[in-house]
Amino acid sequence: MAVLAESGSNPDVELLYDINGLAKDAPHWFDRVMEFVGEYGLLLAMVLLVLWCWWSVRRRGGEEAAPSVAALVWAPLAAGLAVLVNVPIRGFVERPRPFVDHQGLDVLVSGKTDFSFVSDHATITMALGVGLFVAHRRFGLAGIGLALLEGFCRVYMGVHYPTDVVGGFALGTAVVLLLSPLATALLTPLMRAVERSPRAGWLVRRRSAGTGGRGNTLLPGARKSLDTEERDLAA
């Protein structure tokens, strides 16, 4: 990786300069916006998207509620696991940040002293995006779109090579999909148990309006059921 980073004719480096060069031509305020979006904003957006998807799934209910919520629980777990997997990868590759080996980059975020390959931000966002896609296709496509934007931002900010981002995308996707069958097998029964809980069941499925977990109990003044009326007449 170090050899590739030092080669000025490498397409990876050329693309880095092309994308980061946009920051030099952009207004200062726009670079500040991209700095916030790339460092914090898109991560926050991904969290809100996961919560929105959870709210939609639990409101819809049905037999697929528990498996869908299980897939949503797996998404952040997979993102955390992928970051842990990245720790030895970074230590093995030991690729310096692009601004260490290349001059003339417009670096929007200072203080980055760790290794560059692979990008944690790209890994986390893509893991969340693919995890969302497993749970809900429409939300998943939006999540993957946000992950792609995160990858662009990291290169624009001058803190990662394009291949750092691609490696993060691959790592996040691999962890989610390869371990998804095992995670689903473990988490779905757990979510079904939560769904049956009178106190925590709302986390998986919205309670039916007016029941409040009391089954078919009649409210004061409510009309009796037809079967009850028939039994009263027979008596």
Side-chain angles (χ1 to χ4, degrees):
M1 285 293 182
V3 175
L4 295 178
E6 292 168 0
S7 175
S9 61
N10 188 311
D12 191 26
V13 177
E14 293 176 357
L15 188 57
L16 165 68
Y17 275 105
D18 289 340
I19 296 177
N20 181 255
L22 299 174
K24 294 184 177 181
D25 300 329
H28 178 73
W29 64 265
F30 184 79
D31 284 348
R32 299 286 73 80
V33 170
M34 290 293 286
E35 175 187 348
F36 175 79
V37 169
E39 194 73 7
Y40 308 107
L42 287 171
L43 291 176
L44 177 60
M46 289 296 299
V47 172
L48 294 177
L49 189 63
V50 171
L51 292 175
W52 185 9
C53 184
W54 163 75
W55 185 260
S56 176
V57 166
R58 68 173 290 275
R59 281 176 61 86
R60 183 178 59 192
E63 293 298 323
E64 295 302 315
S68 296
V69 173
L72 285 174
V73 172
W74 168 234
L77 292 177
L81 180 59
V83 170
L84 291 178
V85 172
N86 188 29
V87 172
I89 293 177
R90 280 192 168 190
F92 176 76
V93 178
E94 293 186 346
R95 186 184 202 184
R97 295 279 182 170
F99 51 79
V100 174
D101 291 329
H102 302 284
Q103 303 297 320
L105 293 174
D106 191 1
V107 183
L108 303 186
V109 180
S110 60
K112 300 290 183 180
T113 59
D114 55 343
F115 293 119
S116 185
F117 187 89
V118 296
S119 167
D120 279 339
H121 281 72
T123 301
I124 293 171
T125 52
M126 187 55 75
L128 289 172
V130 175
L132 272 172
F133 188 80
V134 173
H136 193 289
R137 297 293 185 268
R138 186 180 63 204
F139 282 97
L141 289 175
I144 291 173
L146 290 178
L148 294 174
L149 180 58
E150 178 67 78
F152 175 83
C153 288
R154 302 308 288 177
V155 181
Y156 181 95
M157 293 159 62
V159 294
H160 280 293
Y161 295 96
T163 48
D164 298 337
V165 169
V166 173
F169 289 163
L171 177 58
T173 301
V175 170
V176 172
L177 296 183
L178 291 178
L179 298 180
S180 181
L182 176 61
T184 300
L186 295 175
L187 291 173
T188 299
L190 177 60
M191 291 303 104
R192 292 198 187 278
V194 172
E195 184 180 17
R196 293 190 295 267
S197 170
R199 293 190 177 183
W202 64 272
L203 291 169
V204 178
R205 183 188 297 192
R206 182 181 62 174
R207 297 299 191 189
S208 299
T211 61
R214 293 171 293 181
N216 295 322
T217 303
L218 291 173
L219 296 175
R223 188 176 183 273
K224 294 181 179 180
S225 67
L226 181 59
D227 290 341
T228 303
E229 290 180 348
E230 289 177 350
R231 286 197 298 268
D232 290 345
L233 291 174

